[in-house]
């Protein structure tokens, strides 16, 4: 029934299980069930009328209760490409139960045809169009499509997300957002298509209000700035960081922060210092390839004209450790790229590397070029079963320039090298020596300190008893850190904890690659010019 007091059930779809980011084993150490909380849906919830009742069910952490659907007047769902199968299942369930369902998010925005079964589609950034949807719904509409022009939303109008809908203990970290968009022009990236090349920033007061809300609800610990590139608007960031630092001092350092940034952060010592003083401890960087020709051809020129190793080491010395993405399968690869990528990962000493295969995403320059060349191929059921949307388990959805067998073999070689225990833990030890933790401070309640202690004991048990094969490397790394830089130990333990997922995951992908290579013939597949219907998702809101 459509009244002034509607009941909305928000359902966050399950991610596919075969994902680099689905580190359940690491979550278990902290007593969590999933890495990240659904920032998009709780932002949408904040845009709904205050008279509406809202419930959230995250299918990554819990199951639908028997009365959840019966309670709801309306269901809202949506997310990213790795959630596509889960979102479609939610829509089908709602349809079978006679519940009207709204879908949104980056995946639906990129390929709305896939979500045609939903009653309503909210496509684009939700701040622009939720009022129109609400008006239509309260006016009696039972279907409709609502679109916003991408990259134009005034994010200073974005509300404080409904953090009160979250069960904090279920997550390793909670997200906030300062900016949307990225100034660069990488050919394979859909961020610039969805959110634009002019980064839009919230006001300092907005972000502090969000942190105040989290703090008032009792949340402490890891907060992730989900920005596409936090340093995309350096001027705004320089004005924001001192305010964040002051807020942290006033609140006695309740949070520590992570984010995503481009490698040119290393060129700005003052900015790195400001991030460290504000209690940022890690960043994700897209390195993609150590080959300058490849970086130029894919328009990632900000990674050229620099020593990647020196740049990453500068970031370490500023107190931030680096996680990075690498990609194989670019047209510019002329021969084996495995050795160069392995050397780059070792030289930079980056332990946590998302090494994957190039995937042509919809609404990108890459996809449009490949479409013109007649090289796109549709995914089959095997792509879905191996992990739709995850570049580590699915990719190369086009006819490759280099023989596919050679690319897969290179990929297998890289994974075998960089996730061998001696290599991984060796990189962790080197980071542990370089990482300047002078500004690190995190004050946790006594109950959380006890939980941290239990998590450490679980890690020690896993590394020395349950996973005895890495016992020697684990203790060697702990002792090295205690001797050379004991302040870095919490972050060294954090990196090693991720190996509980990354070690088994890399072995799973290697076994999958062996099967794929064995099943390949010696002839490249013929070009199959069809429209690509499987996107990767980007980020935020509905």
């Amino acid at each position: 029934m459509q009244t002034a007091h509607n009941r909305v059930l928000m359902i966050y779809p399950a991610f596919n299980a075969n994902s680099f980011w689905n580190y359940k084993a690491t979550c278990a150490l902290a007593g969590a069930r999933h890495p990240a909380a659904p920032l998009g849906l709780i932002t949408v919830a904040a845009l709904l009328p205050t008279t509406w009742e809202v419930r959230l069910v995250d299918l990554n952490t819990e199951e639908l209760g028997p009365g959840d659907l019966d309670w709801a007047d309306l269901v809202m769902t949506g997310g990213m490409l790795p959630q596509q199968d889960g979102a479609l299942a939610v829509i089908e369930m709602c349809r079978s139960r006679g519940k009207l369902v709204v879908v949104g998010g980056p995946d639906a925005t990129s390929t709305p045809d896939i979500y045609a079964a939903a009653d309503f589609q909210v496509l684009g950034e939700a701040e622009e169009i939720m009022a129109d949807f609400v008006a239509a719904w309260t006016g009696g509409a039972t279907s409709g499509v609502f679109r916003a022009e991408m990259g134009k939303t005034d994010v200073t109008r974005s509300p404080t997300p409904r953090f009160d809908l979250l069960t904090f203990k279920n997550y390793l970290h909670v997200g906030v957002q300062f900016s949307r968009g990225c100034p660069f022009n990488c050919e394979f990236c859909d961020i610039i298509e969805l959110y634009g090349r002019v980064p839009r920033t919230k006001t300092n007061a907005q972000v502090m209000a969000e942190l105040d809300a989290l703090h008032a609800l009792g949340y402490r610990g890891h907060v992730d700035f989900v920005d596409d590139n936090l340093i995309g608007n350096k001027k705004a960031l320089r004005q924001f960081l001192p305010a964040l630092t002051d807020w942290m001092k006033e609140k006695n350092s309740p949070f520590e922060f992570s984010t995503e940034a481009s490698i040119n952060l290393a060129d700005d010592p003052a900015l790195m210092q400001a991030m460290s003083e504000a209690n940022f401890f890690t960043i994700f960087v897209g390195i993609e390839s150590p080959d300058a020709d490849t970086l130029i051809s894919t328009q990632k020129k900000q990674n050229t004209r620099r020593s990647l190793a020196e740049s990453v080491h500068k970031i370490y010395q500023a107190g931030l450790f680096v996680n990075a993405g690498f990609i194989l399968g670019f047209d510019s690869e002329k021969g084996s790229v495995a050795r160069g990528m392995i050397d780059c990962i070792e030289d930079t000493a980056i332990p946590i590397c998302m090494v994957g295969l190039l995937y042509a995403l919809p609404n990108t320059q890459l996809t449009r070029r490949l479409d013109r060349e007649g090289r796109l191929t549709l995914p089959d059921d095997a792509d879905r079963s191996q992990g739709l949307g995850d570049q580590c388990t699915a990719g190369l959805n086009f006819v490759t320039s280099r023989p596919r067998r050679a690319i897969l073999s290179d990929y297998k070689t890289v994974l075998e090298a960089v996730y061998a225990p001696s290599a991984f833990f060796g990189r962790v030890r080197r980071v542990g020596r370089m990482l300047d933790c002078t500004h690190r401070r995190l004050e946790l309640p006594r109950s959380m300190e006890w939980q941290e202690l239990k998590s450490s004991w679980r890690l020690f048990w896993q590394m020395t008893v349950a996973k005895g094969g890495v016992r020697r490397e684990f203790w060697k790394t702990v002792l090295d850190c205690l001797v050379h830089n004991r302040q870095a130990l919490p972050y060294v333990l954090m990196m090693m904890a991720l190996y509980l997922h990354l070690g088994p995951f890399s072995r799973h992908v290697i076994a999958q690659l062996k099967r794929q290579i064995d099943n390949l013939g010696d002839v490249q597949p013929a070009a199959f010019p069809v429209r690509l219907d499987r996107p990767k998702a980007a980020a935020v809101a509905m």
Side-chain angles (χ1 to χ4, degrees):
M1 180 181 297
Q2 297 163 340
T3 69
H5 304 282
N6 288 282
R7 294 174 295 190
V8 178
L9 179 64
M10 294 193 152
I11 303 178
Y12 196 51
F15 281 81
N16 68 59
N18 295 317
S19 170
F20 177 91
W21 301 109
N22 199 17
Y23 32 93
K24 296 290 188 184
T26 304
C27 290
L29 292 177
R33 298 183 178 182
H34 192 67
L39 180 59
L41 278 183
I42 63 173
T43 301
V44 172
L47 291 164
L48 298 176
T50 56
T51 56
W52 290 17
E53 294 182 64
V54 182
R55 292 182 185 174
L56 171 69
V57 175
D58 183 348
L59 295 181
N60 299 281
T61 65
E62 59 189 316
E63 296 181 355
L64 276 173
D68 286 334
L69 281 177
D70 292 335
W71 170 85
D73 298 316
L74 180 68
V75 173
M76 290 184 166
T77 191
M80 299 181 285
L81 176 58
Q83 296 170 277
Q84 186 181 106
D85 287 344
L88 294 175
V90 169
I91 292 170
E92 176 58 30
M93 175 180 61
C94 291
R95 301 280 290 185
S96 68
R97 295 281 296 274
K99 292 291 179 179
L100 294 177
V101 59
V102 187
V103 69
D107 193 37
T109 298
S110 293
T111 52
D113 291 351
I114 292 176
Y115 294 91
D119 300 288
F120 296 93
Q121 292 183 340
V122 177
L123 309 177
E125 295 172 276
E127 292 91 344
E128 289 290 321
I129 43 178
M130 284 307 297
D132 293 339
F133 164 74
V134 169
W137 170 258
T138 55
T142 57
S143 64
V145 177
F146 304 86
R147 298 179 186 272
E149 185 179 1
M150 296 308 300
K152 302 296 183 182
T153 294
D154 178 3
V155 298
T156 65
R157 296 167 50 198
S158 191
T160 296
R162 287 284 307 274
F163 295 117
D164 59 295
L165 297 174
L166 301 176
T167 302
F168 293 134
K169 67 180 181 180
N170 286 341
Y171 304 102
L172 288 182
H173 53 79
V174 174
V176 296
Q177 187 181 61
F178 173 62
S179 68
R180 290 183 203 163
C182 179
F184 297 114
N185 194 34
C186 304
E187 185 192 35
F188 54 85
C189 182
D190 62 350
I191 292 295
I192 54 177
E193 308 289 341
L194 285 168
Y195 301 113
R197 292 188 59 197
V198 179
R200 296 156 287 143
T201 63
K202 294 179 179 177
T203 66
N204 291 359
Q206 271 181 289
V207 182
M208 300 315 159
E210 295 183 20
L211 296 178
D212 280 335
L214 275 174
H215 188 269
L217 289 166
Y219 183 77
R220 302 292 185 273
H222 183 177
V223 174
D224 182 45
F225 276 81
V226 303
D227 300 46
D228 310 311
N229 184 354
L230 184 71
I231 68 168
N233 185 334
K234 287 187 178 182
K235 180 179 179 181
L237 184 62
R238 287 191 182 97
Q239 295 172 349
F240 169 66
L241 289 174
L244 179 60
T245 300
D246 290 343
W247 185 94
M248 288 285 288
K249 290 177 180 176
E250 178 187 332
K251 300 294 186 182
N252 200 26
S253 302
F255 305 138
E256 57 184 357
F257 304 111
S258 60
T259 194
E260 181 170 346
S262 45
I263 192 68
N264 58 310
L265 172 63
D267 302 336
D268 196 327
L271 192 57
M272 289 190 289
Q273 177 80 0
M275 289 178 66
S276 182
E277 291 176 354
N279 227 27
F280 280 84
F281 71 98
T282 186
I283 62 171
F284 181 88
V285 174
I287 291 180
E288 323 311 359
S289 173
D291 179 65
D293 290 340
T294 292
L295 294 171
I296 291 170
S297 70
T298 197
Q299 300 182 60
K300 201 174 182 79
K301 297 178 182 179
Q302 66 271 24
N303 284 21
T304 63
R305 298 184 296 276
R306 68 175 62 246
S307 164
L308 291 171
E310 288 180 7
S311 296
V312 171
H313 294 172
K314 287 179 182 178
I315 297 172
Y316 290 154
Q317 290 156 9
L320 306 164
F321 72 78
V322 175
N323 304 325
F326 292 84
I327 300 175
L328 295 92
F330 291 107
D331 283 354
S332 57
E333 296 171 356
K334 300 298 189 294
S336 176
V337 297
R339 185 70 262 165
M341 190 167 288
I342 294 166
D343 289 345
C344 178
I345 291 169
E346 288 300 316
D347 291 345
T348 54
I350 301 174
I352 300 157
C353 302
M354 188 187 72
V355 184
L357 298 168
L358 183 62
Y359 193 96
L361 311 173
N363 306 321
T364 62
Q365 300 168 73
L366 173 64
T367 294
R368 291 190 286 271
R369 175 172 66 80
L370 292 174
D371 191 24
R372 290 193 301 270
E373 296 170 2
R375 295 169 56 191
L376 290 174
T377 59
L378 284 175
D380 56 23
D381 291 339
D383 293 321
R384 303 187 81 87
S385 66
Q386 293 299 336
L388 184 65
D390 190 278
Q391 289 177 304
C392 298
T393 54
L396 303 184
N397 56 339
F398 57 93
V399 178
T400 59
S401 176
R402 196 158 62 100
R404 184 175 293 256
R405 178 190 296 276
I407 298 171
L408 297 180
S409 295
D410 274 353
Y411 184 23
K412 173 175 165 290
T413 298
V414 173
L415 290 181
E416 288 172 336
V418 302
Y419 284 115
S422 60
F424 178 86
F425 287 90
R427 296 195 301 275
V428 174
R429 287 192 290 274
R430 288 156 58 202
V431 175
R433 292 191 181 197
M434 284 187 277
L435 199 61
D436 182 353
C437 297
T438 304
H439 301 291
R440 292 285 77 72
R441 188 181 179 198
L442 178 64
E443 297 293 332
L444 298 175
R446 189 174 298 276
S447 60
M448 290 189 68
E449 288 180 350
W450 177 241
Q451 177 61 46
E452 290 284 303
L453 183 61
K454 289 196 294 185
S455 298
S456 297
W457 279 114
R458 289 181 187 131
L459 175 61
F460 279 52
W461 171 266
Q462 288 287 328
M463 289 290 184
T464 61
V465 179
K467 309 289 184 184
V470 297
R471 182 188 301 115
R472 181 177 180 276
E473 292 291 343
F474 174 76
W475 283 116
K476 184 178 177 181
T477 305
V478 169
L479 293 173
D480 190 89
C481 186
L482 288 173
V483 169
H484 295 284
N485 187 9
R486 64 176 56 235
Q487 281 186 303
L489 185 60
Y491 305 101
V492 165
L493 292 176
M494 188 183 299
M495 287 181 263
M496 292 194 292
L498 286 168
Y499 194 72
L500 292 175
H501 166 67
L502 296 173
F505 179 72
S506 62
R507 291 191 291 273
H508 163 75
V509 177
I510 288 166
Q512 174 186 314
L513 289 167
K514 287 179 179 176
R515 291 191 295 270
Q516 291 180 5
I517 292 167
D518 289 343
N519 291 334
L520 277 177
D522 294 328
V523 181
Q524 278 278 75
F528 185 38
V530 295
R531 183 175 64 86
L532 178 65
D533 285 326
R534 307 292 186 201
K536 170 182 178 272
V540 194
M542 202 166 183

